[in-house]
Amino acid sequence: MSPRGVATPDVRERLFAAAERVVERDGPGALTSRAVTTEAGCAKGLLHAHFAGFDGFVAELCLDRFARTAAKAGALAGLVGQGTVAGNLDAVVLALFDSGGPAVSGLTLSRPDAALRVREALAAGAPGFAAIEEAVAAYLEAERRLGRTPAALDPATAALALVGTSHHLLMTTWPGSPDPRPAVRRLVATLVPPGG
């Protein structure tokens, strides 16, 4: 436990990681500010000192994870012509499901104030599904020009299919339900046949 008055390094990520562990282990219903700070091993008031209440914390956690995935999608531009197209896409799309993504998204949906904050942030330009979709479409277009995806592939439609399916699975997958990753991998393999 961090003593009172001593700075806690990287407090946001420490609390976010703790929240993800609580949700993965005990489900979204177990997530409270006390559970998060206990899991993080820090003072009980730390969460409220750094976030606008618990709904603010949940919204920031969801937005942070979206931003991380959007950054990973943006990095696809540097992978054009390298590795396999399917492998590169897997790394981005499946990142949405890492670290308890479905449970965190479900938690956000179950908290109206947190969901409103996420919607408002996305509308104001915070990176989310639209940024991921744009990056995937640009990547697929670049790979198509190199002949590494089928010539008939429509990059924008394929990106919409990948991101839309991921969004659907993210919002409908709860702890204890089947792992959504195999369905995403099958979709990637259908859109970008092996060898791409």
Side-chain angles (χ1 to χ4, degrees):
M1 177 85 57
S2 299
R4 184 175 270 236
V6 175
T8 304
D10 204 14
V11 67
R12 285 175 55 88
E13 183 52 37
R14 184 172 173 183
L15 291 170
F16 288 165
E20 290 173 331
R21 289 191 303 271
V22 169
V23 169
E24 284 183 4
R25 183 182 61 236
D26 304 321
L31 194 67
T32 62
S33 57
R34 181 174 294 273
V36 171
T37 54
T38 299
E39 181 73 23
C42 59
K44 303 296 179 224
L46 189 65
L47 185 144
H48 294 282
H50 289 273
F51 297 92
F54 191 62
D55 283 324
F57 169 77
V58 170
E60 288 295 321
L61 169 58
C62 187
L63 290 166
D64 180 81
R65 292 337 192 209
F66 283 162
R68 284 180 178 208
T69 305
K72 193 172 246 187
L76 281 170
L79 298 175
V80 174
Q82 300 175 31
T84 67
V85 174
N88 293 338
L89 290 174
D90 274 353
V92 170
V93 179
L94 296 179
L96 285 166
F97 299 99
D98 291 341
S99 301
V104 169
S105 295
L107 174 67
T108 303
L109 290 175
S110 71
R111 302 186 66 87
D113 189 47
L116 176 62
R117 290 174 193 222
V118 169
R119 280 194 307 274
E120 288 173 345
L122 293 174
F129 289 108
I132 297 165
E133 184 181 333
E134 289 167 11
V136 169
Y139 169 73
L140 287 171
E141 176 59 35
E143 292 287 21
R144 187 175 69 166
R145 284 193 302 269
L146 291 179
R148 288 175 25 103
T149 63
L153 179 73
D154 176 352
T157 301
L160 175 61
L162 284 170
V163 176
T165 299
S166 298
H167 180 261
H168 166 74
L169 292 170
L170 189 64
M171 298 303 169
T172 58
T173 300
W174 299 93
S177 61
D179 185 354
R181 290 169 184 88
V184 174
R185 285 194 176 103
R186 286 191 304 275
L187 179 58
V188 168
T190 298
L191 294 171
V192 185

